C-alpha cells in the first residue's frame, strides 16, 4: 500500500524527485544510502531531509527537468502559507485590540462615574458590567498574542 503524504510537503516533493531522477542518482548526489533516502520520504519517521541534501537533490533534479526544483518549490509554498496565517492572525489581533481599547475606555469612564460621590446603583451596576466586558475583550487577545509573539507563559 502506498503511504499517503501531505500534498506540497517536503516528503512528497522528495518522493517525486527520487521517482524522477531515480534512487541511484539521488544516492550518488548525496552520498546517502537508498534506505535512508526512502526513509526521508516517510513523514511518520523521525528522519528529516538536511538542507545540504535538499540543495544537492534539487540541483540534480534541475539538471534533468528544465530547472525545476521541487523541494525548493514546496519549501516556498510552506513558508508562504505560514506567512499568510500570521498575517490573518495579525489582522484579527488588531480587530480584537480595537475592541479591547473601546471596551476599556467605556469601562474606565463608567468606573470613574461610579466612583464619584453620590453615584447611583445604576451607575455602579454599569461600571461592573463595563469592567467585565473590558476584561473579556482583553482576554480574547491572549491566544493571538501568544501565537504571534511566540509566548508560552501563562498569565499570572
Amino acid at each position: 500500500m502506498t503511504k499517503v503524504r501531505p500534498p506540497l510537503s517536503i516528503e512528497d516533493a522528495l518522493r517525486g524527485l527520487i521517482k524522477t531522477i531515480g534512487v541511484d542518482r539521488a544516492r550518488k548526489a548525496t552520498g546517502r544510502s537508498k534506505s535512508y533516502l526512502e526513509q526521508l520520504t516517510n513523514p511518520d519517521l523521525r528522519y528529516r531531509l538536511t538542507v545540504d541534501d535538499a540543495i544537492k537533490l534539487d540541483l540534480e533534479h534541475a539538471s534533468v527537468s528544465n530547472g525545476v526544483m521541487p523541494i525548493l518549490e514546496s519549501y516556498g509554498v510552506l513558508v508562504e502559507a505560514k506567512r499568510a496565517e500570521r498575517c490573518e492572525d495579525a489582522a484579527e489581533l488588531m480587530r480584537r485590540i480595537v475592541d479591547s481599547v473601546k471596551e476599556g475606555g467605556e469601562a474606565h469612564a463608567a468606573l470613574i462615574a461610579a466612583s464619584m460621590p453620590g453615584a447611583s446603583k445604576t451607575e455602579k451596576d454599569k461600571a461592573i458590567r463595563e469592567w467585565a466586558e473590558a476584561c473579556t475583550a482583553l482576554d480574547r487577545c491572549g491566544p493571538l498574542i501568544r501565537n504571534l509573539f511566540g509566548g508560552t507563559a501563562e498569565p499570572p
Side-chain angles (χ1 to χ4, degrees):
M1 184 167 114
T2 303
K3 172 149 287 297
V4 177
R5 291 163 184 84
L8 299 174
S9 67
I10 299 300
E11 294 84 6
D12 191 47
L14 179 59
R15 185 202 49 76
L17 180 146
I18 291 172
K19 187 175 180 182
T20 299
I21 68 172
V23 72
D24 288 334
R25 195 166 182 169
R27 191 180 47 74
K28 287 177 188 171
T30 61
R32 304 290 187 169
S33 70
K34 176 183 175 182
S35 64
Y36 180 73
L37 290 169
E38 288 170 350
Q39 289 174 348
L40 291 175
T41 69
N42 185 341
D44 296 330
L45 297 179
R46 67 178 180 89
Y47 302 104
R48 295 293 176 255
L49 184 64
T50 67
V51 173
D52 290 339
D53 287 345
I55 292 168
K56 291 172 188 174
L57 290 166
D58 261 348
L59 290 174
E60 191 66 28
H61 188 274
S63 71
V64 299
S65 64
N66 208 21
V68 175
M69 295 188 201
I71 298 169
L72 178 61
E73 290 174 8
S74 291
Y75 178 79
V77 169
L78 293 169
V79 169
E80 285 304 315
K82 288 294 181 187
R83 180 184 288 162
E85 283 177 22
R86 291 182 64 83
C87 287
E88 287 176 23
D89 284 353
E92 179 60 22
L93 177 59
M94 291 304 295
R95 285 188 287 275
R96 290 181 187 188
I97 289 171
V98 167
D99 186 50
S100 172
V101 169
K102 177 184 130 332
E103 293 295 343
E106 291 172 359
H108 286 105
L111 287 165
I112 291 169
S115 299
M116 301 293 285
S120 69
K121 174 152 177 32
T122 302
E123 288 172 311
K124 291 176 183 177
D125 290 344
K126 180 181 179 184
I128 292 170
R129 188 174 54 255
E130 294 294 345
W131 164 78
E133 289 173 5
C135 289
T136 299
L138 193 55
D139 284 346
R140 290 185 67 237
C141 296
L144 289 172
I145 290 169
R146 281 191 209 98
N147 184 35
L148 287 169
F149 303 159
T152 57
E154 289 297 315

